[in-house]
Amino acid sequence: MASIPMEYGLLLAGMLFALGLIGVLVRRNIVFILMSLEIMLNATGLAFVAAGARWAQADGQVMYLFILSMAAAEVAIGLALVLKLRRQFKTLDADAASRMHG
Amino acid sequence: MNAVFYISAAVALISTVMVITRMNAIHALLYFIVSLLAVAVIFFTLGAAFAAALEVITYAGAIMVLFVFVVMLLNLGPSSTAQESQWLSLRAWIVPAILALVLVGELTFIIARGSLQAHAASPVEPKQVGVALFGPYLLGVELAALLLLAGMVGAYHLGREWGVEIEREGERESERAGEWESGRAGEWESGRVGERETRR
């Protein structure tokens, strides 16, 4: 049985990453920006797992685990910031918070 | 097995395109969950069964539930009831349901063929991953634990200030009735419910 070539896995990861990047650049709703960030992190994990499967090593899945824990921490902080933004500016527009109050 | 990979890849790409083009956050989240499930199937075809299980449990389970919870929390108000009935329309869930059914069909195909492990050319067992994780990557595990702790403390801090603001607004009698619902939610988020109960 022929297995899947690594290039296809990496190609899919690249396409998913590009879609996430487009989402970050195009959308202005901050919830969608966070979702697109998750898409990009997930695509990176896919690239690691595909490369790890190519050489039959566990390192790819280990890296995927680290990316997963980082994504979990990032989304917790990000969603807390979304709630705070909504509370303070009464909107979810990312451009509303463009000024710093140093 | 290659066909399973290509179909899952197509499902993942279609649902991801739908995620970044939806206007409604809940619709986008539905498509995103389907996309993550498709990526889990791809992990399985690549021989990474452990990563596939984690993708379903952690990503499609925990992180997406957090997203749905926050989106629901943001939409408090009188218009939420009308929105909710609109969200449950057929047009909202039929396409994600079809895409998920494709994945279910692939799953039954894999199970019907028996021998779950023999599909990939060189599957990486969960045991190998565990040995690598707690051998050469032990420092990374510790750092990940520290990162999660920092994330928890940071989320608690940000949520706590948010709860205090609402509580201060709740002091005004005129807004008390309207703010009660969201005030409770904010306190629950920051774990201050007990404190407020004792103060009364």
Side-chain angles (χ1 to χ4, degrees):
Chain A
M1 183 187 312
S3 67
I4 298 113
M6 180 186 65
E7 287 78 15
Y8 290 171
L10 292 183
L11 190 66
L12 177 66
M15 287 162 84
L16 287 177
F17 190 89
L19 283 174
L21 189 62
I22 290 169
V24 169
L25 294 177
V26 169
R27 303 305 296 260
R28 291 269 62 85
N29 188 325
I30 197 156
V31 175
F32 282 91
I33 291 176
L34 269 179
M35 255 190 266
S36 305
L37 276 176
E38 291 297 313
I39 292 172
M40 289 163 74
L41 285 173
N42 192 39
T44 342
L46 176 60
F48 270 114
V49 171
R54 164 68 178 77
W55 281 282
Q57 294 294 313
D59 304 74
Q61 291 188 51
V62 170
M63 282 300 157
Y64 170 74
L65 264 176
F66 290 154
I67 290 173
L68 196 68
S69 54
M70 196 206 71
E74 175 253 332
V75 84
I77 297 285
L79 287 173
L81 283 173
V82 167
L83 289 177
K84 212 167 160 51
L85 185 85
R86 164 80 172 194
R87 188 71 215 151
Q88 205 155 352
F89 295 99
K90 304 279 188 293
T91 178
L92 288 176
D93 189 2
D95 289 337
S98 58
R99 299 182 64 181
M100 295 178 75
H101 300 280
Chain B
M1 208 60 197
N2 281 0
V4 173
F5 175 83
Y6 294 132
I7 294 170
S8 314
V11 169
L13 284 174
I14 290 169
S15 49
T16 307
V17 168
M18 297 299 261
V19 169
I20 63 172
T21 52
R22 289 306 92 181
M23 290 298 133
N24 195 317
I26 289 289
H27 295 177
L29 282 170
L30 274 179
Y31 281 110
F32 194 19
I33 290 171
V34 174
S35 164
L36 293 172
L37 292 178
V39 172
V41 173
I42 288 168
F43 283 169
F44 190 77
T45 60
L46 287 172
F50 185 52
L54 279 179
E55 177 93 5
V56 173
I57 294 168
T58 311
Y59 248 122
I63 297 180
M64 286 305 110
V65 165
L66 203 62
F67 261 108
V68 171
F69 184 68
V70 167
V71 170
M72 293 290 181
L73 206 62
L74 291 174
N75 279 288
L76 289 175
S79 62
S80 65
T81 319
Q83 253 178 345
E84 195 137 12
S85 59
Q86 180 199 341
W87 283 347
L88 292 177
S89 63
L90 183 72
R91 207 164 52 83
W93 57 265
I94 191 69
V95 182
I98 288 171
L99 291 176
L101 272 180
V102 171
L103 294 177
V104 170
E106 286 184 342
L107 190 66
T108 47
F109 169 73
I110 291 172
I111 292 174
R113 280 177 55 142
S115 72
L116 286 174
Q117 289 303 322
H119 290 303
S122 51
V124 178
E125 304 287 330
K127 187 183 172 186
Q128 281 174 262
V129 180
V131 168
L133 202 57
F134 288 97
Y137 287 103
L138 188 58
L139 188 64
V141 175
E142 302 281 353
L143 287 175
L146 275 179
L147 179 71
L148 285 174
L149 178 68
M152 192 182 73
V153 171
Y156 174 76
H157 178 69
L158 291 170
R160 193 173 65 102
E161 286 186 352
W162 188 66
V164 168
E165 271 174 30
I166 286 181
E167 197 174 17
R168 205 178 299 135
E169 270 190 24
E171 299 294 322
R172 278 176 280 169
E173 277 297 321
S174 57
E175 285 188 24
R176 175 159 287 173
E179 290 287 326
W180 177 246
E181 198 66 33
S182 54
R184 289 292 291 205
E187 283 169 5
W188 184 82
E189 177 85 4
S190 58
R192 288 176 66 94
V193 175
E195 196 176 325
R196 180 159 182 163
E197 295 293 333
T198 52
R199 199 178 298 161
R200 297 214 157 192

